[in-house]
Amino acid sequence: MSQPAFADLKILVLDQNLNRARLIRDLLDNVGVGETFVTTAADAASDWVRGGNCSLALVDLVDVDEISSPALFMAALRDPKRTSASGLPVLGVMAEVTKESLMSAVHIGADFVIQRPFSVKSLSDRVTSMIAAPAPQFSSIDYVGPDRRRMPDGLYDGDQRRDGDDA
């Protein structure tokens, strides 16, 4: 796996806690990321992604099941009718990773998840792996993003994973 040129990366940090978002920006600056945009608002995040070559988004996924800036941003990003950057890798940031929170993160379109607190090394390793080997993407009439079927849910096994598929 080749190391991405961190100086060429443009990373969005969307977090409802501005102080925490600034700390993440400082970590990204320490590993040499070229440009980091920090915001607490879904509209500002969407505008920044639309206006430039965003390489990756770090989105705090607290309260993804409620109406929040991260949830609104993810809904717009993964909606093929509204997205300005289909296929944009999203690293979900979570305080606690449980099976339920991980399933929610996958459902809203996060490519990968990292639990905070995290070290500079774990963040840079995750960014490196996401850029070098992006998650497989899937498109349908109402979703564009990482393939949400990649996580086993225990309901369907094998190649046929949808309810109506013939076995």
Side-chain angles (χ1 to χ4, degrees), residues 74-146:
M74 292 300 296
L77 183 67
R78 298 311 189 200
D79 181 344
K81 296 169 207 73
R82 299 187 301 159
T83 190
S84 58
S86 63
L88 177 70
V90 173
L91 178 57
V93 179
M94 303 179 96
E96 182 180 359
V97 178
T98 63
K99 181 179 179 182
E100 292 78 23
S101 65
L102 189 57
M103 294 296 284
S104 291
V106 169
H107 179 73
I108 66 166
D111 293 74
F112 296 98
V113 170
I114 190 169
Q115 184 172 342
R116 47 170 214 266
F118 45 80
S119 67
V120 173
K121 181 176 179 358
S122 63
L123 180 60
S124 64
D125 287 351
R126 177 50 64 194
V127 169
T128 298
S129 66
M130 288 180 69
I131 299 299
Q137 297 293 299
F138 175 80
S139 294
S140 70
I141 59 170
D142 61 355
Y143 175 82
V144 60

Side-chain angles (χ1 to χ4, degrees), residues 25-62:
R25 179 193 55 210
D26 292 345
L27 291 176
L28 294 169
D29 288 348
N30 285 339
V31 297
V33 168
E35 186 175 352
T36 305
F37 179 73
V38 171
T39 186
T40 60
D43 290 343
S46 294
D47 289 347
W48 193 75
V49 168
R50 190 177 305 111
N53 294 323
C54 186
S55 311
L56 181 112
L58 272 81
V59 179
D60 187 75
L61 297 180
V62 65

